[in-house]
């Protein structure tokens, strides 16, 4: 009996060891969800534009929240937008254009509503910002911004990090020499003629300023958001002032306009706007709170790589690259 037990033990030792199943590779969303709290940056309520549309046909509220772009981008128009919101100018206006696979636009469909005083007429030159990170003191022969050594080093490091995010992936872009993320935003970059020239990109959900023919640049009273394939040909041609971070479905699902360029042809088709406010004007209990995943964090680097090279179980072949607009910066609501 003892010999049988020994033989059985020896046989068991000879059996192949079953390999442990590898852990599933996380999806981009799972990487963002697992990011530590220290990798998330709060968005100040003073940088949130809250637009309440008239309730839908089922009497459900429709709230759209827009994050305004930070300095140095588009600040002339954003200053106008703050004045328009403070004057409650958009109250009673409407969504008046919905063009399929392109944009939703809102403002005064009659074009007769008086604008508040003090709006700035913004130059086309500020579609692009140039504040040289290398310490240059002139831009096209004009006085420029001298950055501190610490800020210049920070920007240089950030630029290198933005490139490192796509290490091994294609960075080809049809509309900019280089694309990168800056403070949570997709940005085009060139140093071909003006040092450190940067501009925001027309990705899905970005908010821009409607205008007439050049040299008109718009006041900010007419706004639109992208609801289709990124119209990057508009980059550097129209001011971008923010992005929709909540409620895009209330705009993207609207009936398409039947008129030219998707404009609604009758007043009955237009969606009334009940109010537009900077969030800090709302009662404290009604103020929304959001935060975005820092684009300088290790978590975002992993997230961006996962967007460019999908290795989670559903995918068969990683793409090996990604359009920058296919790497949306994660934003989440925060309950206070």
């Amino acid at each position: 009996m003892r010999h049988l037990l020994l033989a059985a033990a020896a046989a068991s030792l000879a059996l192949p060891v079953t390999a442990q199943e590898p852990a599933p590779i996380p999806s981009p969303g799972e990487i963002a969800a697992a990011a530590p709290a220290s990798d998330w940056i709060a968005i100040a309520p003073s940088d949130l534009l809250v637009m309440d549309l008239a309730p839908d046909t089922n009497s459900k509220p429709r709230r759209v929240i827009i994050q305004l772009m930070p300095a140095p981008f588009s600040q002339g128009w954003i200053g106008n937008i703050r004045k328009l919101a403070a004057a409650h100018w958009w109250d009673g206006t409407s969504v008046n254009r919905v063009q399929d696979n392109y944009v939703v636009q809102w403002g005064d469909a009659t074009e007769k509503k008086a604008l508040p005083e003090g709006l700035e007429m913004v130059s086309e030159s500020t579609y692009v910002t140039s504040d040289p990170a290398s310490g240059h003191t002139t831009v096209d022969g004009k006085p420029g911004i001298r950055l501190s050594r610490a800020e210049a080093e920070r920007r240089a490091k950030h630029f290198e990090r933005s490139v490192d995010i796509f290490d091994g992936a294609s960075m080809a872009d049809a509309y900019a020499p280089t694309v990168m993320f800056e403070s949570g935003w997709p940005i085009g970059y060139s140093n071909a003629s003006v040092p450190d020239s940067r501009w925001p990109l027309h990705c899905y959900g970005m908010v821009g300023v409607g205008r007439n023919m050049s040299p008109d640049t718009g006041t900010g009273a007419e706004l639109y958001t992208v609801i289709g394939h990124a119209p990057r040909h508009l980059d550097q041609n129209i001011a971008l002032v923010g992005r929709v971070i909540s409620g895009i479905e209330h705009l993207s699902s609207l009936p398409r306009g039947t008129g030219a360029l998707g404009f609604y042809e009758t007043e009955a088709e237009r969606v009334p706007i009940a109010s537009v406010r900077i969030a800090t004007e709302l009662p404290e209990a009604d103020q929304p709170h959001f935060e975005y995943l820092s684009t300088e964090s290790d978590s975002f680097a992993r997230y961006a790589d996962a967007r460019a090279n999908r290795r989670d179980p559903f995918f068969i072949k990683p793409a090996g690259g990604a359009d920058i607009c296919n790497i949306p910066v994660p934003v989440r609501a925060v309950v206070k």
Side-chain angles (χ1 to χ4, degrees):
M1 185 68 175
R2 182 167 177 270
H3 294 293
L4 290 174
L5 291 173
L6 289 173
S12 67
L13 290 173
L15 292 175
V17 178
T18 303
Q20 189 174 11
E21 289 293 325
I25 296 176
S27 68
E30 290 170 332
I31 292 171
S38 58
D39 284 352
W40 293 87
I41 297 177
I43 301 172
S46 58
D47 290 332
L48 296 178
L49 192 68
V50 180
M51 178 167 67
D52 287 319
L53 306 178
D56 67 13
T57 54
N58 295 315
S59 300
K60 291 184 178 179
R62 292 185 284 188
R63 172 166 284 188
V64 178
I65 300 176
I66 297 164
Q67 179 189 7
L68 298 175
M69 290 203 73
F73 303 105
S74 305
Q75 293 305 291
W77 293 280
I78 289 173
N80 286 349
I81 288 169
R82 292 184 182 280
K83 292 174 183 176
L84 288 157
H88 301 176
W89 186 87
W90 281 290
D91 297 13
T93 62
S94 63
V95 175
N96 49 53
R97 176 190 180 192
V98 183
Q99 187 170 358
D100 189 51
N101 195 33
Y102 200 46
V103 300
V104 172
Q105 187 167 323
W106 61 93
D108 175 29
T110 71
E111 299 185 336
K112 295 179 181 179
K113 189 170 184 178
L115 295 170
E117 295 183 0
L119 298 186
E120 180 180 348
M121 300 305 294
V122 190
S123 168
E124 290 178 347
S125 65
T126 52
Y127 290 151
V128 175
T129 183
S130 300
D131 49 347
S134 57
H136 295 276
T137 57
T138 62
V139 177
D140 282 352
K142 299 178 182 179
I145 299 173
R146 178 177 290 280
L147 302 177
S148 67
R149 180 181 296 275
E151 176 63 7
E153 290 176 351
R154 188 196 73 80
R155 289 195 183 185
K157 182 178 180 181
H158 179 61
F159 177 80
E160 292 171 3
R161 180 58 180 276
S162 294
V163 174
D164 287 344
I165 282 175
F166 299 94
D167 187 27
S170 171
M171 276 289 287
D173 187 87
Y175 298 95
T178 304
V179 290
M180 57 190 291
F181 292 95
E182 181 173 331
S183 301
W185 297 83
I187 299 297
Y189 172 85
S190 174
N191 62 0
S193 59
V194 179
D196 202 27
S197 295
R198 288 138 46 232
W199 57 91
L201 307 180
H202 273 82
C203 296
Y204 183 84
M206 291 291 281
V207 174
V209 175
R211 66 167 175 85
N212 293 314
M213 297 297 287
S214 174
D216 179 69
T217 61
T219 61
E222 285 284 327
L223 296 174
Y224 65 86
T225 189
V226 176
I227 60 163
H229 184 75
R232 293 283 308 285
H233 58 285
L234 298 177
D235 295 353
Q236 304 183 73
N237 285 283
I238 300 182
L240 284 169
V241 293
R243 61 184 169 199
V244 176
I245 61 172
S246 178
I248 188 73
E249 68 276 10
H250 300 312
L251 299 171
S252 62
S253 63
L254 292 174
R256 275 38 182 166
T258 56
L261 303 177
F263 279 94
Y264 290 134
E265 298 182 277
T266 66
E267 184 177 354
E269 294 175 282
R270 298 173 190 137
V271 180
I273 295 174
S275 70
V276 177
R277 303 284 186 273
I278 297 295
T280 47
E281 190 177 343
L282 301 175
E284 188 171 350
D286 197 30
Q287 292 181 14
H289 297 275
F290 288 84
E291 55 190 16
Y292 70 89
L293 185 62
S294 170
T295 50
E296 298 182 36
S297 66
D298 290 337
S299 295
F300 184 80
R302 292 192 298 272
Y303 163 84
D305 175 69
R307 292 286 302 193
N309 296 283
R310 297 300 296 266
R311 306 179 188 90
D312 38 311
F314 178 81
F315 290 86
I316 300 167
K317 179 178 174 60
D323 184 294
I324 190 169
C325 289
N326 198 35
I327 307 177
V329 175
V331 178
R332 66 184 185 185
V334 178
V335 178
K336 292 290 186 176

